[in-house]
Amino acid sequence: AQTVTQSQPEMSVQEAETVTLSCTYDTSESNYYLFWYKQPPSRQMILVIRQEAYKQQNATENRFSVNFQKAAKSFSLKISDSQLGDTAMYFCAVQGGSEKLVFGKGTKLTVNP
Amino acid sequence: NAGVTQTPKFQVLKTGQSMTLQCAQDMNHEYMSWYRQDPGMGLRLIHYSVGAGITDQGEVPNGYNVSRSTTEDFPLRLLSAAPSQTSVYFCASSPLGGARWGTGELFFGEGSRLTVL
């Protein structure tokens, strides 16, 4: 079975600063995908970034980047130059092999002006 | 391009009533799924389907039925609603990648907020 743990239920950051959201996971699959999804107050789930486990290079998408530590089963999300529109729930997720996508419980991020 | 469309967006039911949450996608995705989202619980998989005529249970299937008669549609039925089914429901789809349960990159609907009194 796959599990995802997000240890920070809530976080806050000042506009323009950098924040890192933590995620640890467990899977028995040798190849798997990791994801960060964003859910703003509008409730729409949006894919932020995706990492394939066999790729050593950390994924980046504009201001969003990950720190993927495969041995430690850690997958943190770094948001640089935080903007008010980054205020949202952020969910970490893992999917490998024939397993279904499993989500963590989420981190509520508030960006303060 | 509509993507994944869920209806209704809001619904209030009384205990024991039945209803169907509709989900349709226009991306020709083989994989479709239903999640429920509860505070502090994240998203939990209810049922999923890898193609027309094929459905299976997820983590929390009790009290829910699904069917998949076409590639496009994946309705979720509550046969006898209970207050414990008060939640926000999300339909999501994905293309299948070989023997995998999709690429993992799910495309979500906007969610349906259900309240059972």
Side-chain angles (χ1 to χ4, degrees), chain B residues 22-77:
Chain B
Q22 301 291 345
C23 176
Q25 53 91 8
D26 61 358
M27 298 172 282
N28 202 31
H29 286 168
E30 300 95 334
Y31 181 84
M32 296 186 73
S33 56
W34 278 101
Y35 286 85
R36 61 176 289 173
Q37 182 180 19
D38 303 291
M41 299 297 292
L43 284 84
R44 293 180 292 170
L45 183 64
I46 304 172
H47 284 287
Y48 66 94
S49 168
V50 297
I54 305 170
T55 64
D56 206 346
Q57 296 180 352
E59 181 184 357
V60 288
N62 292 339
Y64 307 95
N65 281 349
V66 292
S67 60
R68 184 94 179 269
S69 56
T70 67
T71 299
E72 294 78 20
D73 300 301
F74 191 47
L76 178 71
R77 297 182 183 86

Side-chain angles (χ1 to χ4, degrees), chain A residues 2 7 13 29 41 44 54 56 63 78 96-97 106-107:
Chain A
Q2 299 174 139
S7 59
V13 64
E29 298 292 331
Q44 179 74 48
Y54 66 86
Q56 293 185 345
R63 298 182 295 107
K78 185 172 81 172
T107 296

Side-chain angles (χ1 to χ4, degrees), chain A residues 33 37 39 43-44 98, chain B residues 37 100-101 106 108 110-111:
Chain A
Y33 293 92
Y37 279 87
Q39 185 182 42
R43 208 168 65 194
Q44 179 74 48
S98 62
Chain B
Q37 182 180 19
R100 304 171 62 88
W101 297 123
L106 291 175
F108 284 84
E110 294 182 347

Side-chain angles (χ1 to χ4, degrees), chain A residues 31-33 35 37 39 42-45 47 50 89 91 95-106, chain B residues 9-10 31 35 37 40-43 45 48 88 90 99-106 108-113:
Chain A
N31 192 23
Y32 49 91
Y33 293 92
F35 304 85
Y37 279 87
Q39 185 182 42
S42 67
R43 208 168 65 194
Q44 179 74 48
M45 293 286 288
L47 178 67
R50 161 185 165 148
M89 284 288 291
F91 293 95
Q95 188 257 324
S98 62
E99 297 286 341
K100 277 69 72 179
L101 189 66
V102 173
F103 290 86
K105 294 183 178 181
Chain B
K9 289 186 169 51
F10 300 93
Y31 181 84
Y35 286 85
Q37 182 180 19
M41 299 297 292
L43 284 84
L45 183 64
Y48 66 94
V88 178
F90 286 95
R100 304 171 62 88
W101 297 123
T103 64
E105 181 177 344
L106 291 175
F108 284 84
E110 294 182 347
S112 300
R113 180 176 293 278

